Amino acid sequence: MVQSTPPALRTTPISPKQNRRFFGAVILLHALDPVRGDRRSRPKVADPDELALDLLLDKFLDSVAYACDRKKGGKTVTAAALQKHPEGPILLLGSNSPIEPETIEKLREILDRLKAFKFGQESEKLLEEDIVRKLTYLGAERLKVYQKKAKQQLELTKPTFQNLSMLM
């Protein structure tokens, strides 16, 4: 008796580029698996004071990863994790493309600034402005994409606003 493969189980050929991207992500997840712990959903909480310490740490690591993912489109997806070490935690970064030295340098500047900050002795506002400036520099390419999309949306809604102003 001859058996054929059911249509749902047949494989679809993929290009070598797609194959590399898929297995690159799988290898990255496998490498990070011992560090990242179990997957868990995060509650949506607007007030950071209400978040537990482990959720704040997750949010921080997500923010670090996002800051290092400088380009929109998935080619520079980055993950961040902390590793325990006797001399202090080590920040691990994983990416599906090489992380630019400039990105590491700016991230180090931000972390050093946070580490050296003296609560009550320095202005939190100045610290925030300094970090936002560095993050804006890191994310400039991504921000330009968002700016372009916002302009396109504005152009689409312009006729609506013009019609509204004529009614008033």
Side-chain angles (χ1 to χ4, degrees):
M1 177 155 107
V2 177
Q3 292 182 347
S4 66
T5 306
L9 299 178
R10 290 188 188 137
T11 59
T12 303
I14 60 173
S15 72
K17 181 179 177 181
Q18 289 172 319
N19 194 29
R20 277 192 310 276
R21 287 184 75 184
F22 172 76
F23 283 106
V26 169
I27 290 169
L28 178 62
L29 283 172
H30 178 73
L32 290 174
D33 194 48
V35 180
R36 71 184 171 104
D38 295 331
R39 301 277 304 160
R40 59 182 181 249
S41 62
R42 296 185 189 120
K44 302 284 185 209
V45 179
D47 184 6
D49 293 335
E50 295 179 21
L51 289 175
L53 187 58
D54 61 333
L55 292 176
L56 284 173
L57 183 59
D58 285 348
K59 191 168 177 55
F60 171 75
L61 291 172
D62 286 347
S63 298
V64 167
Y66 186 73
C68 293
D69 184 10
R70 296 175 69 175
K71 297 177 183 156
K72 184 142 175 47
K75 292 183 181 176
T76 60
V77 173
T78 305
L82 286 178
Q83 179 181 4
K84 288 183 182 178
H85 191 272
E87 294 179 23
I90 297 173
L91 179 65
L92 303 174
L93 296 174
S95 179
N96 61 348
S97 65
I99 298 173
E100 298 169 12
E102 183 179 38
T103 302
I104 301 294
E105 177 188 329
K106 288 291 180 200
L107 181 59
R108 184 169 281 131
E109 287 176 16
I110 290 169
L111 295 174
D112 287 344
R113 183 80 168 87
L114 286 169
K115 184 179 174 184
F117 184 75
K118 308 259 188 283
F119 283 96
Q121 297 175 9
E122 292 183 59
S123 167
E124 290 180 34
K125 184 76 172 155
L126 291 176
L127 172 70
E128 183 180 328
E129 289 172 359
D130 185 37
I131 290 174
V132 166
R133 193 173 17 263
K134 288 177 171 114
L135 289 173
T136 302
Y137 176 81
L138 281 174
E141 192 171 327
R142 181 182 288 275
L143 290 170
K144 285 178 186 174
V145 171
Y146 295 144
Q147 181 184 29
K148 183 178 178 183
K149 286 184 179 189
K151 271 184 171 179
Q152 290 169 344
Q153 287 300 318
L154 184 61
E155 290 300 318
L156 291 174
T157 58
K158 218 183 238 184
T160 306
F161 288 123
Q162 288 172 342
N163 291 340
L164 284 174
S165 66
M166 290 168 55
L167 294 172
M168 296 180 164

